[in-house]
Amino acid sequence: MRDADRDESAPRTLLEQLIWERRQTFEEFAESAEEFAREHGEPGTLSVRHLQRLVAGSHPDGKPLGPVRPATARLLERIFDISIDELLAPLDRLAGTTFQPLRVAVAIVVRGSDVLIVCRRAEDANGLSWQFPAGVIKPGARPAVIAVRETLAETDVHCVITRKLGTRLHPTTGVLCEYVLCDYVAGEARNVDVVENVAAIWVDRADLTRFIPDGQVYGPVLRALDAATDATQRAGSS
């Protein structure tokens, strides 16, 4: 449910858009943020009035917001896994509507110490790029469902969702990526979507940066892959 006293035509900032996508009012989100802070030992606080100023991107008189209190900024960054600057950035308005970044669900499918990747087909051979299976999230769709479905459609691999890893605006493409960690269930990796991809393979975590530069991989993804590799090594030595 949205707040009755705010403009429902379009979100003003990425923070407001993400709250809308949670289907929470400002009061509900502020309450959940306070609960998150208590559970994770964060000193930051967030009142409804403060939240209203943040999502608007400015003070009621139109003056720009000053620096956000560090504890509050850290709290919001931990909740969304997005920097405070990105969260409070105004969304561009085009033709009287708000431009909302393209949203994709990115599947991080692990099998022991291996992770599943695909090579996208571009217009020329120089445009080939390796990345994780992903699919566009259409309005009303759930990222977890998209991630599992697109993985099967692209690679013939069945997987199940383990947990959400986080959300970020991709630094290169500007796409809003929602990352989900998945466990392998069945299937041999093969290129099923020959229109968009040229290959689908498993790679060991240690070899991942041969295909995707380390600096382009989302931090929580790297940590999840390292944890999966450590678990596999411990299981092998026991």
Side-chain angles (χ1 to χ4, degrees):
M1 181 183 298
R2 296 179 180 174
D3 296 88
D5 61 349
R6 75 188 189 195
D7 178 11
E8 296 192 7
S9 61
R12 294 157 290 184
T13 57
L14 179 58
L15 174 59
E16 186 169 29
Q17 176 180 316
L18 294 174
I19 293 173
W20 283 22
E21 290 176 358
R22 287 168 170 246
R23 293 178 171 83
Q24 290 181 314
T25 64
F26 290 152
E27 289 79 6
E28 290 169 340
F29 177 76
E31 183 178 344
S32 66
E34 293 287 333
E35 182 177 352
F36 182 96
R38 289 192 297 271
E39 292 177 352
H40 294 81
E42 287 291 334
T45 59
L46 188 66
S47 68
V48 174
R49 186 172 181 179
H50 189 196
L51 177 61
Q52 289 172 330
R53 289 198 298 269
L54 292 177
V55 299
S58 63
H59 290 286
D61 59 5
K63 293 181 180 180
L65 293 174
V68 180
R69 292 193 299 268
T72 301
R74 175 180 164 83
L75 174 60
L76 290 171
E77 288 174 340
R78 286 203 63 186
I79 291 173
F80 292 108
D81 284 315
I82 300 177
S83 73
I84 192 65
D85 290 338
E86 291 175 312
L87 286 170
L88 302 186
L91 298 176
D92 297 329
R93 295 186 178 274
L94 301 174
T97 62
T98 295
F99 169 76
Q100 299 184 13
L102 179 68
R103 295 175 62 217
V104 300
V106 184
I108 311 301
V109 186
V110 295
R111 185 187 63 179
S113 61
D114 292 340
V115 61
L116 185 63
I117 60 174
V118 298
C119 187
R120 299 296 186 197
R121 184 187 300 277
E123 294 182 357
D124 57 61
N126 294 325
L128 296 180
S129 64
W130 290 93
Q131 55 191 268
F132 305 107
V136 174
I137 305 172
K138 295 182 179 180
R142 292 189 298 163
V145 173
I146 298 299
V148 170
R149 186 172 64 198
E150 288 300 316
T151 297
L152 180 61
E154 292 184 0
T155 70
D156 208 26
V157 166
H158 295 265
C159 63
V160 293
I161 298 296
T162 301
R163 61 187 173 91
K164 180 180 177 181
L165 293 175
T167 303
R168 72 162 176 173
L169 281 174
H170 195 281
T172 301
T173 65
V175 171
L176 186 62
C177 299
E178 302 198 22
Y179 297 85
V180 290
L181 184 64
C182 309
D183 277 342
Y184 167 80
V185 174
E188 293 296 327
R190 64 187 183 92
N191 182 29
V192 180
D193 190 351
V194 295
V195 175
E196 291 192 3
N197 303 329
V198 295
I201 63 173
W202 293 100
V203 297
D204 188 270
R205 164 65 181 96
D207 298 323
L208 180 61
T209 54
R210 292 175 49 197
F211 299 87
I212 306 175
D214 191 68
Q216 292 184 13
V217 183
Y218 187 38
V221 169
L222 290 175
R223 291 191 288 273
L225 294 177
D226 289 340
T229 298
D230 291 343
T232 299
Q233 292 174 345
R234 288 195 300 270
S237 61
S238 61

